[in-house]
Amino acid sequence: MSSPDQLQASQASSVSPVSQVSQVQREREDYRRKQSLKSVLTSLASTLVFAVLIVLGLKLSPGWPRVKESFFSGKYFTEAFPKVLEGLWLNVQVLFFAVIGVAILGTLLAVIRTSKSPFLFPLRVLAQLYTTVMRGIPMIVVLYLIGFGIPGLGIFGRIPAALLGTVAVILSYSAYIAEVLRAGFQDVHPSQRASARSLGLTSGQTMRLVVIPQALRKVAPALMNDFISMQKDVGLISVLGAVDAVRAAQIVVATSYNFTPYVVASVLFIATSVPFILLNDWYSARLRQREQSGGTV
């Protein structure tokens, strides 16, 4: 019968060939580590040089003192920040309701455009015409048409500018979202639909439970990009007179003759969009990694 020491020695001898890392593997890992460190140091150095060149370029510009005082004044930044921040709350509210409206209308348009029912042919033509026309009109023109055209009809009485701006954003971005969703719906393999129907699901259940979830995963990065664009374009509702972040900045500029409030509005819009941009980059990288590893996307 073997002693405990002999058993441990036997186990160690049986495991060591597998657990030990070869010299070649260690050299390979050291090489990769050095290359990664070299890449990080090179990136930091190039970024530092690029930043120094920009700062020197601005400092050496003859008009830099005037530009600095007009756009980067600490005094006016502090004065305008509370007012612009208060106006940003209106942009957030418009964005919230616009996202809901765009999701509903965009999904309806995409479903109609991908439908093959002969009864929906007139709606398919209208949906195609709608998405074609709305994607060809600049956003600010849509705002003017909705913001000044609907009140001009005299049917609904006085309508808040923020509400008209929300409607314009929904009508414009629904066309873009509908096309993205349509591409996602059509990218779902037909066998998925056939399998769902063979299991007894109706056409509506197949679309709701099988097609839409898979399509959303495929077009999620594109949807996030459209969402980020919409987040910026809600600032255009200021052309209708709504006192949002941009309009609040314009009011301060009109009284101070200094453009720093526009920088304040830009900083706030960037601060609100950065989390979604990072989320989009993270999710896109995750999808790409799953595709490269052979996983199901």
Side-chain angles (χ1 to χ4, degrees):
M1 188 177 207
S2 302
S3 64
D5 294 338
Q6 291 175 335
L7 288 174
Q8 291 179 357
S10 174
Q11 291 175 355
S13 62
S14 63
V15 172
S16 57
V18 179
S19 61
Q20 286 182 352
V21 179
S22 66
Q23 182 65 24
V24 175
Q25 179 64 22
R26 279 199 293 271
E27 291 177 355
R28 187 180 295 126
E29 292 178 353
D30 290 340
Y31 176 77
R32 289 174 180 169
R33 195 178 302 111
K34 290 178 182 177
Q35 288 297 318
S36 177
L37 180 61
K38 182 180 177 182
S39 176
V40 171
L41 292 177
T42 304
S43 301
L44 289 176
S46 61
T47 304
L48 184 61
V49 170
F50 188 68
V52 169
L53 289 176
I54 291 178
V55 172
L56 287 178
L58 291 175
K59 290 282 187 182
L60 296 177
S61 300
W64 168 242
R66 185 173 62 253
V67 171
K68 180 182 177 183
E69 180 59 29
S70 299
F71 288 90
F72 303 101
S73 170
K75 172 188 172 184
Y76 291 110
F77 190 98
T78 307
E79 179 182 335
F81 187 83
K83 299 175 183 176
V84 178
L85 182 62
E86 184 178 355
L88 185 68
W89 174 238
L90 179 61
N91 293 115
V92 173
Q93 295 178 61
V94 171
L95 180 64
F96 175 78
F97 291 105
V99 167
I100 297 174
V102 167
I104 296 173
L105 184 57
T107 304
L108 286 176
L109 290 171
V111 170
I112 291 172
R113 289 211 61 189
T114 55
S115 174
K116 298 186 182 302
S117 172
F119 296 102
L120 295 179
F121 177 76
L123 292 180
R124 279 201 300 274
V125 174
L126 288 176
Q128 183 174 0
L129 180 64
Y130 176 83
T131 53
T132 302
V133 170
M134 293 305 292
R135 284 186 297 160
I137 303 178
M139 180 68 203
I140 194 165
V141 176
V142 178
L143 281 165
Y144 283 134
L145 292 174
I146 300 298
F148 299 124
I150 292 180
L153 296 175
I155 299 175
F156 304 103
R158 183 176 177 81
I159 304 175
L163 177 59
L164 293 170
T166 305
V167 172
V169 172
I170 291 173
L171 293 179
S172 180
Y173 271 89
S174 293
Y176 296 99
I177 296 298
E179 288 304 291
V180 173
L181 290 175
R182 184 175 68 89
F185 293 165
Q186 293 177 340
D187 203 27
V188 176
H189 199 273
S191 63
Q192 299 290 319
R193 299 172 185 264
S195 300
R197 296 304 301 270
S198 66
L199 292 174
L201 297 182
T202 63
S203 179
Q205 290 173 331
T206 301
M207 178 62 73
R208 180 168 53 87
L209 300 175
V210 178
V211 177
I212 290 180
Q214 294 187 55
L216 288 179
R217 284 199 297 271
K218 293 176 181 294
V219 299
L223 289 177
M224 287 296 294
N225 280 329
D226 284 335
F227 172 75
I228 293 168
S229 298
M230 185 168 60
Q231 185 182 14
K232 292 183 301 181
D233 282 349
V234 294
L236 294 175
I237 64 171
S238 60
V239 300
L240 302 180
V243 185
D244 68 332
V246 178
R247 186 63 177 169
Q250 288 176 342
I251 293 173
V252 180
V253 170
T255 56
S256 64
Y257 302 102
N258 189 281
F259 298 106
T260 304
Y262 289 135
V263 177
V264 177
S266 301
V267 170
L268 290 176
F269 272 104
I270 291 172
T272 54
S273 64
V274 163
F276 299 104
I277 293 173
L278 294 178
L279 177 63
N280 182 39
D281 293 343
W282 170 80
Y283 191 66
S284 300
R286 185 180 175 209
L287 288 178
R288 186 167 55 252
Q289 185 179 6
R290 291 178 62 181
E291 287 179 344
Q292 292 175 352
S293 63
T296 303
V297 179

